[in-house]
Amino acid sequence: MKTSKQINIVQLFFIIFQTQVGVGILSLPATLHSTAGKDGWIAIILAGLGFQGVIFVLYFLSMRFSELTLYEYAPKIVGRLMGTLISIGYILFAGLTAILVLQLFQVTINMWILPRTPSFVVLLLMSISGAYLVLGRIKVLGRFNQFVTVLVVPLIIMVLISLRYSDIRYILPIGEHGVSPIIKATPEGFFSMIGFEMALFVFPYLQTKGKAALISLTLSNIAVTTFYCLITFATYVYFSPNQLKTIHDPTVYMLKGGFLSLLSIELIYCFFQSGLFLS
């Protein structure tokens, strides 16, 4: 395997991180709040723990078939018929998810940035960016992920500064409605953070396999869980419970209140995230 077609563990970290994080973070706090109330941020932590268990499974699979992708080793595990069905099922899942991402992105951009731009133009630009990344090698994708991650920094800073207007009493007492609503909301957080399965396809291109890869995947999961939990927690202490019932994209409204001129940074970041997911 040529070096130009390989990635290192740092690039693996950024590929998984960028694949998991997407435009869904804008509405996720409201979605979790509708199910778990003010304890919705705890559901993200549970989802992250669930992801870690899945990561161990993916890691052991990848170590056993270190030079093969899911499409290649699935028939070796469950037979040709079931392996083919699994491959087709994943392709359908990825395709439907890509359509959902495109729709969410288009609605968000038209609502907050380009209300007069036709929807097909936004969708076309998004599709072109995704197709461009697909045509590049895996190493190009890894390097581009590293570059795009820079946009996370101003977003985190904006969220932290917004906390000066927060009221911790909005989330107290913690666990007021019991564990059941939190567990019920966990699948919603799990779906919003999905993308870790990308490891099944990039693992064969790793320069260094073994425990270093597992550590990279684990750190990526911790980073995504922390990032999602921070944003969700920030919106919960920024808006009152009654406000969250009526606001669809609380993250955008929170940043719009004090950072109207910088709001486009977050949406541009979501633009790149959606393109990376589609790739």
Side-chain angles (χ1 to χ4, degrees):
M1 187 178 295
K2 296 181 179 180
T3 304
S4 60
K5 295 182 180 180
Q6 293 181 320
I7 58 173
N8 54 44
I9 56 174
V10 176
Q11 291 168 333
L12 172 66
F13 169 88
F14 286 112
I15 287 176
I16 301 302
F17 178 85
Q18 297 289 357
T19 305
Q20 283 191 262
V21 177
V23 71
I25 187 59
L26 302 180
S27 58
L28 178 62
T31 302
L32 293 177
H33 189 272
S34 65
T35 304
K38 56 191 176 183
D39 296 319
W41 60 277
I42 302 178
I44 295 180
I45 298 177
L46 295 180
L49 294 175
F51 269 120
Q52 189 57 41
V54 176
I55 283 175
F56 280 113
V57 175
L58 299 183
Y59 169 74
F60 289 123
L61 279 174
S62 299
M63 285 301 296
R64 181 179 178 185
F65 305 98
S66 59
E67 301 299 327
L68 304 177
T69 64
L70 173 65
Y71 300 136
E72 295 170 318
Y73 66 69
K76 297 179 181 295
I77 299 177
V78 295
R80 178 174 298 180
L81 177 59
M82 285 300 300
T84 302
L85 291 177
I86 290 175
S87 299
I88 294 175
Y90 180 80
I91 292 173
L92 291 175
F93 166 77
L96 293 174
T97 305
I99 293 173
L100 176 61
V101 170
L102 277 173
Q103 182 184 19
L104 291 175
F105 169 79
Q106 175 265 313
V107 171
T108 302
I109 291 298
N110 283 135
M111 179 183 299
W112 293 101
I113 297 182
L114 304 171
R116 298 183 180 180
T117 302
S119 300
F120 77 89
V121 174
V122 178
L123 294 174
L124 179 63
L125 291 174
M126 190 72 264
S127 300
I128 291 175
S129 65
Y132 178 77
L133 289 174
V134 168
L135 295 176
R137 294 181 177 180
I138 186 67
K139 196 164 189 176
V140 175
L141 180 61
R143 289 175 175 175
F144 188 71
N145 274 295
Q146 288 180 275
F147 168 75
V148 172
T149 305
V150 175
L151 296 176
V152 176
V153 178
L155 175 57
I156 293 177
I157 293 175
M158 292 162 64
V159 171
L160 292 177
I161 294 177
S162 297
L163 289 176
R164 62 180 176 173
Y165 303 108
S166 64
D167 188 341
I168 193 66
R169 291 175 297 179
Y170 287 154
I171 65 167
L172 297 177
I174 297 175
E176 180 181 11
H177 301 292
V179 179
S180 179
I182 299 175
I183 295 178
K184 189 180 297 184
T186 300
E188 298 172 354
F190 193 87
F191 181 77
S192 296
M193 297 164 60
I194 205 165
F196 61 91
E197 72 280 357
M198 189 70 168
L200 294 173
F201 301 94
V202 302
F203 199 87
Y205 300 96
L206 273 178
Q207 295 175 359
T208 305
K209 298 180 175 66
K211 292 184 179 180
L214 178 60
I215 293 175
S216 180
L217 292 174
T218 300
L219 291 177
S220 176
N221 181 46
I222 293 174
V224 172
T225 303
T226 303
F227 180 63
Y228 270 60
C229 191
L230 170 64
I231 292 181
T232 304
F233 181 86
T235 57
Y236 284 7
V237 296
Y238 186 89
F239 297 105
S240 68
N242 290 332
Q243 288 176 314
L244 286 171
K245 293 178 181 180
T246 59
I247 299 176
H248 182 261
D249 296 328
T251 306
V252 180
Y253 278 99
M254 177 180 65
L255 300 179
K256 181 182 177 182
F259 304 93
L260 183 59
S261 60
L262 297 177
L263 181 59
S264 58
I265 292 178
E266 179 185 10
L267 297 179
I268 290 173
Y269 175 64
C270 291
F271 171 87
F272 283 115
Q273 292 290 23
S274 302
L276 290 171
F277 186 89
L278 292 174
S279 63

